[in-house]
Amino acid sequence: MTFEWTGWHWEQKQQTTTSEIIMETDNKQIIHVCEVSGHDTNGAGTEKMPFKTALRAMQAINGSEEIQILVRKDLVEGFKEISGAGKKKAKKLWEGEEKKRVKAEELKAKEAAEKAARAGDDAKRLEEAKSIKLVNDESLGVATKPNLIYIPISGWVHNLRVQGKDMMFLVLRDGTGHLQCLLKGRVCHTYDALTLTRESTVKVYGMLNEVPEGKKAPGGHELVVDYWELIGRAPSGEENYENQFNEESNPEVLYNLRHLVIRGDRASSILKMRSIIIKAFRSHFESKQVTEITPPLMVQTQVEGGATLFGFKYYGEEAYLTQSSQLYLETTLPSVGDSFCIAESFRAENSHTRRHLSQFSHCEAEYAFIEFDDLLQNIEDMICGVVEAVMNDPIGSQLLKELNPDFKPPSRPFKRMPYTEAIAWLNERNIINEKTGQPFAFERRMTDTINEPIFLCKFPVEIKSFYMKRCADDRRLTESVDVLMPGVGEIVGGSMRISDYQELMDAYKREGIDAAPYYWFTDQRKYGTCEHGGFGLGIERFVAWLLNCYTVRETCWYPRFPGRCQP
């Protein structure tokens, strides 16, 4: 007998037992976990069908200390015994889940007993409620559009509260905001009213009034309902929306139910802000007469390194999901001048950090006839302009106050720091790379310590992309820049691009890249070259910085990262 995860609680079911799982691993007391390709729902704890998390393994073995847990963090390295700290953490999480499960069962039993005690009265009341029929008073006229007197409103029940026998409060959500509705008397005695559940869809008609003094409601107004209709009933009981998850739910549960999570106040506010921010980016470029283009997302060339490409067959040919649209933006300069795009980019990095996604929204721009200082100025103007636009937007400013009340716009000019100076800054303070234990190349700690935006400039050729222009005064360095923000680190990467044909051909050769597939990109240096440069900005990281979100997984609709490609 084990407990199977069904969304918000563990349900006792006759299925694969702990002993059966162990038998499937060659009679050894071993259970397998693969953080890369395992699955907590469909896995069996075997080597071929491992679980995804140590918590799920601990749940399957009921916290047993006798059974060995093997964990695989990398497909190359294979399974290794879980660390003491990892096992202790999983055991602690399991014990917490067990307490919640026991408490949930006790609550369920108590509610069942109370429900049984009042079942007779409730059944009678519900049966009587079926006879109550509401009729829309046509003498008030047919209201088709909202006005200040008598209005119809359609939406989802965001919250509901019953007060006594003759009063019910609903808070409706329609995507534009929230409205409190008051149902009194006969209107709240119907069968639909007595069985109404959160997230049901309804249409209500009534008079819009200001909330009485001393009372509170969204927007300071309340709709007094005299007629309403149930459009779509949401489930009750165990399938009730409120039973699916809560703030303490396992992250895997929250990602599985992302389509429901985004209905919540915080998630929907973040995503509304994301939309406002993207609108502000487009407005900024429009004000600068920078043309938006729509680049291809299926490509046959790399931009940031072949190891991070998602490959697929394109009518029998090798192709990839794009890492960046930069190369295509460069080709549009002779056609429409300065250009930008906001499109999806894909990186096949097996990274589980809070700053990385396998798919992200990429704001990229390219400018012709500029120098490095012009590029830095353009980036600074864009960041500050977008922040200003968001703070001047009525909805954006309100959401920003709610989500990040301590936010202060960055001061100008941004601090400029050469890469070599950054290394010296870190080494002088004996700050080492936590992964390698060696003196630093660079990390977020410096940015958080300085606590202001930084233009980190002029990276060595060896650690930057093939297309970046070298510095005239030091050929070992590139005219490149990363914009670093407190809390999230890099949000922008940019550079001047190689404008000389032979220099680009040499770069292909140096990096071991076949120049043939890049003929269309190389031609930009043959048919009228010019000094040009550009940058790419991750929308999710920008939103995370602006709203002080812990992870970029909060700042996109449906995050994609290793092991997560649904819903």
Side-chain angles (χ1 to χ4, degrees):
M1 190 79 71
T2 62
F3 293 95
E4 179 185 356
W5 183 252
T6 60
W8 75 282
H9 70 292
W10 288 91
E11 186 176 273
Q12 203 169 27
K13 290 189 176 182
Q14 285 286 353
Q15 59 169 33
T16 308
T17 64
T18 301
S19 60
E20 289 172 332
I21 291 173
I22 297 168
M23 287 176 64
E24 291 176 3
T25 55
D26 300 326
N27 295 318
K28 296 178 181 179
Q29 291 191 329
I30 296 173
I31 193 165
H32 293 79
V33 173
C34 179
E35 296 180 356
V36 181
S37 61
H39 202 289
D40 281 348
T41 303
N42 299 329
T46 64
E47 185 172 359
K48 292 184 178 179
M49 296 179 64
F51 293 130
K52 185 174 181 63
T53 64
L55 170 60
R56 178 65 183 92
M58 194 64 69
Q59 288 162 340
I61 62 177
N62 293 319
S64 173
E65 294 286 344
E66 305 299 322
I67 299 172
Q68 185 181 24
I69 299 177
L70 298 184
V71 178
R72 180 168 63 187
K73 297 179 179 292
D74 189 296
L75 294 177
V76 177
E77 292 185 4
F79 289 98
K80 294 182 179 179
E81 185 172 1
I82 190 172
S83 66
K87 189 172 184 180
K88 184 177 180 181
K89 180 180 178 181
K91 184 71 175 286
K92 187 176 180 180
L93 288 172
W94 172 78
E95 290 172 345
E97 292 284 354
E98 279 293 285
K99 289 179 181 178
K100 290 179 185 178
R101 180 186 63 78
V102 172
K103 186 176 180 180
E105 287 188 348
E106 292 174 348
L107 181 61
K108 185 177 179 180
K110 181 180 177 182
E111 290 176 346
E114 292 175 349
K115 185 176 181 180
R118 62 173 185 267
D121 292 340
D122 287 348
K124 182 180 178 181
R125 187 181 177 199
L126 287 174
E127 194 62 34
E128 292 174 349
K130 291 179 181 179
S131 64
I132 300 174
K133 304 295 181 184
L134 298 181
V135 179
N136 195 8
D137 188 351
E138 295 184 359
S139 67
L140 296 172
V142 179
T144 58
K145 295 183 179 180
N147 57 63
L148 295 178
I149 303 174
Y150 187 75
I151 63 173
I153 294 290
S154 299
W156 287 260
V157 178
H158 191 65
N159 279 309
L160 64 91
R161 174 169 56 91
V162 177
Q163 188 168 312
K165 293 183 178 180
D166 292 309
M167 192 176 295
M168 177 186 290
F169 291 92
L170 305 181
V171 175
L172 298 189
R173 181 189 73 245
D174 70 349
T176 64
H178 298 80
L179 176 66
Q180 180 169 292
C181 303
L182 172 61
L183 284 67
K184 296 191 297 184
R186 183 181 176 85
V187 179
C188 65
H189 292 168
T190 65
Y191 179 83
D192 285 341
L194 296 178
T195 59
L196 190 61
T197 51
R198 186 174 169 186
E199 292 305 319
S200 294
T201 44
V202 299
K203 187 171 187 177
V204 298
Y205 300 78
M207 301 291 290
L208 188 64
N209 300 321
E210 290 188 4
V211 177
E213 188 175 349
K215 303 292 183 180
K216 291 184 178 181
H221 289 81
E222 179 178 77
L223 186 76
V224 180
V225 177
D226 58 28
Y227 176 76
W228 71 283
E229 303 168 0
L230 176 66
I231 298 173
R233 187 190 305 277
S236 58
E238 290 188 4
E239 285 192 280
N240 188 293
Y241 174 83
E242 294 167 309
N243 290 336
Q244 302 308 302
F245 61 90
N246 56 44
E247 292 182 357
E248 298 179 358
S249 292
N250 186 294
E252 282 293 305
V253 176
L254 298 179
Y255 292 132
N256 285 338
L257 299 177
R258 183 67 176 168
H259 59 294
L260 298 180
V261 171
I262 60 177
R263 300 185 181 200
D265 288 330
R266 175 175 170 80
S268 63
S269 292
I270 290 173
L271 295 172
K272 283 179 183 177
M273 275 294 281
R274 174 191 169 96
S275 177
I276 291 169
I277 289 167
I278 291 176
K279 179 182 176 182
F281 274 108
R282 284 198 164 96
S283 295
H284 168 79
F285 289 120
E286 183 180 352
S287 71
K288 303 292 184 181
Q289 296 183 310
V290 181
T291 302
E292 182 171 10
I293 72 161
T294 51
L297 302 185
M298 298 183 290
V299 301
Q300 292 187 308
T301 51
Q302 68 183 49
V303 182
E304 300 298 333
T308 66
L309 288 164
F310 283 108
F312 65 95
K313 287 293 184 180
Y314 184 75
Y315 302 107
E317 293 185 276
E318 293 293 334
Y320 313 98
L321 296 177
T322 186
Q323 301 165 310
S324 164
S325 298
Q326 174 212 315
L327 305 190
Y328 291 95
L329 281 170
E330 288 190 49
T331 70
T332 68
L333 294 179
S335 174
V336 297
D338 298 344
S339 60
F340 83 99
C341 69
I342 298 178
E344 297 303 286
S345 286
F346 306 85
R347 304 284 171 88
E349 296 174 288
N350 191 19
S351 177
H352 294 265
T353 77
R354 61 190 177 96
R355 301 183 302 118
H356 287 87
L357 292 166
S358 297
Q359 175 183 334
F360 63 98
S361 295
H362 211 173
C363 176
E364 299 181 88
E366 291 292 321
Y367 301 90
F369 304 105
I370 64 169
E371 296 180 354
F372 188 51
D373 284 342
D374 299 321
L375 175 64
L376 300 185
Q377 191 62 53
N378 286 343
I379 295 172
E380 185 176 303
D381 288 345
M382 179 193 67
I383 292 173
C384 293
V386 168
V387 169
E388 184 178 354
V390 170
M391 297 183 74
N392 288 336
D393 183 275
I395 298 175
S397 61
Q398 182 59 39
L399 290 174
L400 183 58
K401 289 177 184 177
E402 294 172 4
L403 294 166
N404 188 11
D406 297 327
F407 177 78
K408 292 180 176 58
S411 58
R412 304 177 68 170
F414 290 180
K415 183 179 181 65
R416 301 188 182 190
M417 180 182 287
Y419 177 80
T420 51
E421 185 180 322
I423 292 180
W425 188 97
L426 291 161
N427 291 338
E428 285 170 6
R429 291 159 178 77
N430 294 317
I431 299 175
I432 63 171
N433 188 312
E434 295 170 358
K435 293 182 179 179
T436 65
Q438 300 299 316
F440 252 94
F442 183 74
E443 197 167 295
R444 295 190 312 278
R445 194 181 304 185
M446 184 184 74
T447 317
D448 294 345
T449 302
I450 296 175
N451 199 32
E452 63 177 288
I454 299 172
F455 277 137
L456 188 63
C457 303
K458 300 187 176 181
F459 289 80
V461 171
E462 294 78 15
I463 62 174
K464 281 299 181 179
S465 298
F466 73 92
Y467 52 77
M468 293 189 178
K469 186 178 180 63
R470 297 191 183 209
C471 296
D473 58 345
D474 189 341
R475 302 290 291 174
R476 296 171 302 172
L477 305 178
T478 56
E479 290 192 327
S480 55
V481 60
D482 281 357
V483 180
L484 309 170
M485 289 294 191
V488 295
E490 178 199 346
I491 65 169
V492 176
S495 75
M496 295 299 291
R497 317 308 193 188
I498 294 175
S499 59
D500 180 75
Y501 175 86
Q502 189 56 51
E503 186 178 349
L504 180 58
M505 297 304 292
D506 292 342
Y508 289 138
K509 185 176 180 180
R510 183 186 71 242
E511 299 297 329
I513 298 172
D514 180 7
Y518 293 84
Y519 72 93
W520 51 274
F521 177 68
T522 308
D523 275 357
Q524 305 310 307
R525 283 78 184 164
K526 290 172 62 177
Y527 295 90
T529 189
C530 74
E531 294 301 318
H532 63 288
F535 62 84
L537 174 145
I539 294 291
E540 287 80 7
R541 287 191 184 182
F542 187 91
V543 177
W545 164 68
L546 191 66
L547 303 185
N548 194 30
C549 295
Y550 176 74
T551 172
V552 293
R553 297 176 185 180
E554 283 189 276
T555 64
C556 55
W557 287 91
Y558 291 95
R560 294 292 183 258
F561 50 89
R564 171 62 55 181
C565 198
Q566 65 173 2

